[in-house]
Amino acid sequence: MSLHASNNPLDVKDIEQQPKRRGMRFTLNGVLWSLQALFGFFFAGSGFGKVLLYDEALYAAAPQAVAWYAAVSQPLIVFIGVCEVLGGVGLILPAMAKVKPMLTPLAAAGLTLTMILAAGFHIMRGEYALVPANLLLGGVAAFITAGRWKLRPIAPANITTSRAGGSIAVLVAVALLTFVPTWYTMTNVHF
């Protein structure tokens, strides 16, 4: 009886011998980019709606649509809006342009903090139905923070014409897809 020792006792196939998979492949980088784009647009639009409340007439009508606006001063609502707009744009542009890409996880961390504070505010007011949305938004922002800070950071690079053009295209898209509809809804629809 002879014992045959194989060089491959588990019969593991070489990677090149395995068939190539077709279809969509999910990667951490792809998931992060998708979340950055989706939540960047969301926060920019949501924040812009709050920024528009600098107008006295809009601010006076706002508590009819959103109850918690009555408990917060006008300057604070506008400040929160500015933070959300900058955070939303910060989720996308620095990483996309690769100019100061570490601003992306910092923007996500700022949005995480904003959502934690919002959840605490709603808990104190007894508005428990609003807390899950704050936790979801804050959780995704925290995931983006961790993803872009340590797991899949984006290396800085020199600005190129294509990256600058792409950044301008994103700013135009944010304006057309979030700012314009928000402005139109808030100035033409009566609560």
Side-chain angles (χ1 to χ4, degrees):
M1 180 160 129
S2 71
L3 295 174
H4 180 353
S6 170
N7 290 342
N8 194 357
L10 298 176
D11 196 30
V12 176
K13 294 182 181 179
D14 189 15
I15 292 175
E16 274 119 37
Q17 292 177 349
Q18 293 179 354
K20 302 277 183 203
R21 281 193 245 166
R22 298 193 191 279
M24 189 180 303
R25 214 178 80 188
F26 291 100
T27 64
L28 179 59
N29 192 47
V31 169
L32 286 168
W33 271 114
S34 298
L35 292 174
Q36 285 171 243
L38 180 67
F39 283 81
F41 275 77
F42 172 80
F43 277 111
S46 173
F48 188 69
K50 293 175 184 77
V51 169
L52 289 176
L53 295 180
Y54 75 90
D55 181 76
E56 292 295 332
L58 291 175
Y59 177 71
Q64 296 170 3
V66 180
W68 67 265
Y69 284 171
V72 179
S73 69
Q74 183 181 17
L76 181 57
I77 292 173
V78 172
F79 175 74
I80 292 167
V82 168
C83 291
E84 287 181 357
V85 168
L86 293 175
V89 171
L91 287 179
I92 303 169
L93 283 187
M96 183 177 171
K98 294 188 177 185
V99 174
K100 304 286 184 188
M102 286 309 293
L103 291 175
T104 293
L106 290 176
L111 291 170
T112 302
L113 178 61
T114 302
M115 291 299 105
I116 290 169
L117 293 172
F121 172 78
H122 292 306
I123 289 170
M124 286 176 46
R125 287 183 39 91
E127 299 169 332
Y128 302 111
L130 299 174
V131 173
N134 294 135
L135 295 177
L136 174 70
L137 294 168
V140 171
F143 177 74
I144 293 170
T145 302
R148 287 300 179 208
W149 194 272
K150 290 286 182 189
L151 302 175
R152 292 290 293 163
I154 295 177
N158 292 330
I159 189 73
T160 64
T161 304
S162 64
R163 283 196 211 112
S167 298
I168 291 168
V170 166
L171 287 175
V172 169
V174 167
L176 292 176
L177 297 173
T178 62
F179 294 170
V180 171
T182 302
W183 169 82
Y184 180 80
T185 301
M186 291 187 68
T187 57
N188 292 307
V189 175
H190 301 288
F191 298 110

